[in-house]
Amino acid sequence: MKAKTKTKALLMSLCAVLLVAASVLGTMAYLTDSKDVKNTFTVGNVSIDLDEAKVNTDGTVVTGADRVKTNSYKLLPGHTYTKDPTVTVLAPSVESYVRMKVTFNKASQIIAMCTDPEFAEDGPTGVENAYPLIRMVKFVEANAAKWDGIIPDNMVDTEEMLADGKYFAYDAEADTLTYYFYYKETVEAPTADVKLATLFDSINVPEWATNDQLKALQGFEITAVAEAIQADGFENADAAWAAFAAQK
């Protein structure tokens, strides 16, 4: 009995020691430290503007006037009119791809007017849809190299580009021709606005245009639209513009 009691007493003592040990360990403090890192995030921005010189109906520039969003013209055969749509990337825009699309309405009538009567009987050339660019638009030669688009100087290239939806679209229902011009470099404006090179600065009515052709153009419009999308996150410009089209 004594041996049994002794064993029991020993076990109780051990348990007591364990409990005490557990109690001591449970009240020990760990050596710790803490540091904070604070990050401030701002929202990225892409902002652009498009304007052109204010002109009289004969296409002459109104001296001292602010640039505008729209102009009106009275068309005459062989006459040249100032039209210089210019894109500005506004601060504080992030690095972006920029393009301008130019749409001619009344496509059937404008192509007819821009067809040189001397060669009309020769039949289709394959570049009729580019006639408004070939016969009417005056590109700024020094700036044209900064843009990618149908800037006619080679008829073979022009025909190929007309077949590429990246550069051209014809809407039969609306009877419109739309040309896309892509600025070749990405543009960012972190602290100040950045004005892009002006692609064209005037339009011209062919000298052979007849009164009937001009009457058919009542309500004719040339509409320029500037578009931009961030460059970050895209492998190249084509991928960016594909995403732009998908979100519309």
Side-chain angles (χ1 to χ4, degrees):
M1 287 290 291
K2 286 184 181 178
K4 201 170 184 181
T5 303
K6 241 182 191 185
T7 303
K8 186 175 180 183
L10 181 59
L11 287 172
M12 289 179 68
S13 297
L14 289 172
C15 287
V17 171
L18 290 173
L19 287 172
V20 170
S23 178
V24 171
L25 290 173
T27 58
M28 287 179 65
Y30 292 101
L31 299 176
T32 63
D33 193 8
S34 176
K35 292 291 188 298
D36 290 333
V37 175
K38 294 182 179 179
N39 296 294
T40 301
F41 295 91
T42 57
V43 178
N45 178 65
V46 175
S47 183
I48 57 176
D49 191 24
L50 180 69
D51 58 24
E52 62 185 19
K54 181 175 178 58
V55 301
N56 298 303
T57 55
D58 64 355
T60 57
V61 175
V62 178
T63 304
D66 292 335
R67 293 177 67 83
V68 297
K69 302 294 184 183
T70 183
N71 277 300
S72 297
Y73 303 85
K74 288 186 178 179
L75 300 183
L76 295 170
H79 194 76
T80 297
Y81 305 81
T82 296
K83 187 172 183 63
D84 62 346
T86 301
V87 184
T88 301
V89 179
L90 304 176
S93 288
V94 299
E95 184 179 17
S96 306
Y97 295 108
V98 179
R99 73 181 179 185
M100 182 168 62
K101 60 181 182 181
V102 180
T103 299
F104 290 70
N105 71 343
K106 293 185 170 288
S108 303
Q109 291 92 338
I110 202 68
I111 289 174
M113 187 189 74
C114 290
T115 300
D116 188 336
E118 184 178 349
F119 303 103
E121 295 181 359
D122 294 341
T125 64
V127 294
E128 285 81 4
N129 286 333
Y131 280 175
L133 298 182
I134 296 171
R135 305 272 161 70
M136 289 189 71
V137 176
K138 174 63 175 176
F139 291 95
V140 180
E141 187 174 349
N143 296 341
K146 298 179 181 180
W147 293 85
D148 178 26
I150 305 174
I151 303 171
D153 58 0
N154 182 300
M155 290 304 179
V156 174
D157 289 345
T158 297
E159 188 171 2
E160 291 176 353
M161 294 177 83
L162 286 169
D164 189 340
K166 174 180 177 180
Y167 300 106
F168 172 75
Y170 169 61
D171 186 328
E173 184 176 353
D175 197 28
T176 59
L177 305 166
T178 298
Y179 309 94
Y180 295 86
F181 301 94
Y182 301 82
Y183 206 67
K184 290 183 178 180
E185 299 177 353
T186 56
V187 184
E188 60 180 330
T191 58
D193 298 348
V194 177
K195 183 173 290 188
L196 304 191
T198 301
L199 179 60
F200 59 90
D201 59 9
S202 60
I203 56 173
N204 175 72
V205 177
E207 66 274 8
W208 58 72
T210 67
N211 286 334
D212 288 341
Q213 288 174 331
L214 291 176
K215 286 179 181 178
L217 288 178
Q218 188 68 34
F220 170 59
E221 295 179 341
I222 301 175
T223 305
V225 176
E227 298 173 330
I229 184 170
Q230 69 183 66
D232 186 56
F234 297 104
E235 183 178 355
N236 52 42
D238 287 342
W241 292 118
F244 185 95
Q247 72 176 9
K248 294 183 68 176

